[in-house]
Amino acid sequence: MTRTDTRHAIDPESAKILDTTDLRRHFHVGDLFAPGEIRLIYTHYDRLILGSAVPGDGTLTLDHVSETGTPGFLDRREMGVLNIGDAGTVTVDGEAHALERGEVLYVGMGAGPVEFGGKGRFYVLSAPAHRTCPTRLVKLKDARRVELGSRETANERVIIQFLHPEVVETCQLLMGYTQFQPGSLWNTMPAHLHDRRMEAYLYFDLPEDARVFHFMGEPSETRHIVMANEEAVISPPWSIHCGAGTAPYTFCWAMAGDNVDFADMDMVAMEDLR
């Protein structure tokens, strides 16, 4: 079973007048992981699709999705798959890839139907592509690690980059996740923008009774969305994106847009935040 919802783009002027309910309706993604289902969110921000596949006791096949306007889902798209559950398999073009927890599979444009199996909880991200790049499984040991922050500022963390030019070739999709050291909860201050790319976050490994406060909006008009475990949020190109949790957490980030330069960002001075 595949279920797809659509989120239309919201401009910053309109976002200023949204209340909590409307902010969540446009940007927050809850109830994402459901046993026996593929759930997708088709966004009008760089046409990024985010979603999940939870095979449960069977298998799930991602193939035709009418929102893409193509016979097959990957006819004009590439995809990244992160497993946040137990071991599972993702089968592409007849080849079964075994994904342990925390591993990422890149699937290139034109790969055909994708089958999910095993006990995995698969987080799926897809962006339009104009060329085919090879499908590749990226193990945790092969990912690029960047250590940032400090204990004094409560943001000591490691950024683990999977879909990154120095790790695996993609058309436009960037993807990885960030983990915090004990006692650190803040990401990322000072905040930044990248008007040339949108971003999406999935917060996971968060205790059931804990929450992450995700900050968004223009630097002069900040808003927040309260996030629970395994919930996602859509970050428009005009918005900051940072957060702080009431307990340790991990978040998966993904970007699509004009380039694959991870460092292409416009920093926002702390004194400019409102």
Side-chain angles (χ1 to χ4, degrees):
M1 176 181 177
T2 300
R3 189 183 81 181
T4 307
D5 296 327
T6 298
R7 301 289 181 93
H8 293 280
I10 301 295
D11 67 273
E13 289 299 315
S14 298
K16 291 179 182 180
I17 61 174
L18 299 181
D19 62 12
T20 298
T21 299
D22 285 334
L23 279 173
R24 294 179 72 85
R25 181 166 59 89
H26 286 292
F27 302 110
H28 173 263
V29 181
D31 297 321
L32 188 57
F33 294 86
E37 292 187 25
I38 295 173
R39 293 188 173 183
L40 304 175
I41 304 294
Y42 183 100
T43 81
H44 282 248
Y45 300 102
D46 290 294
R47 304 290 169 170
L48 183 82
I49 292 176
L50 61 95
S52 68
V54 185
D57 295 327
T59 60
L60 295 170
T61 301
L62 178 58
D63 189 4
H64 174 70
V65 174
S66 61
E67 283 77 5
T68 66
T70 54
F73 182 74
L74 291 176
D75 287 356
R76 301 273 298 182
R77 288 182 161 271
E78 60 185 348
M79 183 168 70
V81 180
L82 166 66
N83 184 13
I84 64 170
D86 294 329
T89 61
V90 181
T91 302
V92 182
D93 196 22
E95 182 178 357
H97 302 270
L99 269 71
E100 299 293 334
R101 179 179 175 84
E103 297 180 343
V104 171
L105 177 69
Y106 172 76
V107 185
M109 182 184 74
V114 178
E115 185 177 277
F116 301 90
K119 299 300 182 182
R121 293 172 69 81
F122 300 106
Y123 179 52
V124 174
L125 292 144
S126 175
H130 62 267
R131 62 188 178 95
T132 298
C133 300
T135 294
R136 179 182 163 188
L137 174 62
V138 186
K139 297 284 189 179
L140 186 58
K141 65 180 178 61
D142 298 320
R144 184 173 185 264
R145 297 172 62 90
V146 179
E147 296 182 3
L148 293 174
S150 68
R151 184 173 300 178
E152 290 74 18
T153 51
N155 66 352
E156 189 177 12
R157 63 200 187 278
V158 56
I159 301 174
I160 306 174
Q161 300 168 336
F162 288 84
L163 305 191
H164 182 281
E166 296 186 28
V167 179
V168 62
E169 182 185 16
T170 68
C171 185
Q172 69 155 320
L173 188 62
L174 290 172
M175 181 180 173
Y177 52 83
T178 299
Q179 295 176 324
F180 293 89
Q181 298 299 328
S184 289
L185 302 166
W186 266 105
N187 177 81
T188 302
M189 282 293 180
H192 64 267
L193 303 165
H194 32 70
D195 193 52
R196 294 154 293 281
R197 296 175 298 180
M198 64 82 64
E199 193 159 3
Y201 283 77
L202 172 73
Y203 291 98
F204 63 104
D205 288 344
L206 184 68
E208 192 65 30
D209 60 349
R211 294 294 183 267
V212 172
F213 288 74
H214 176 88
F215 295 95
M216 61 165 295
E218 292 181 290
S220 60
E221 287 281 348
T222 59
R223 303 290 188 269
H224 75 270
I225 297 177
V226 179
M227 309 291 299
N229 187 47
E230 296 188 356
E231 293 184 342
V233 65
I234 301 162
S235 181
W238 47 263
S239 174
I240 65 168
H241 35 270
C242 57
T246 62
Y249 62 97
T250 303
F251 67 90
C252 175
W253 44 264
M255 292 176 273
D258 268 340
N259 60 54
V260 289
D261 180 3
F262 183 85
D264 178 16
M265 59 186 70
D266 303 312
M267 301 306 296
V268 177
M270 292 291 285
E271 58 267 26
D272 292 334
L273 291 174
R274 297 290 184 271

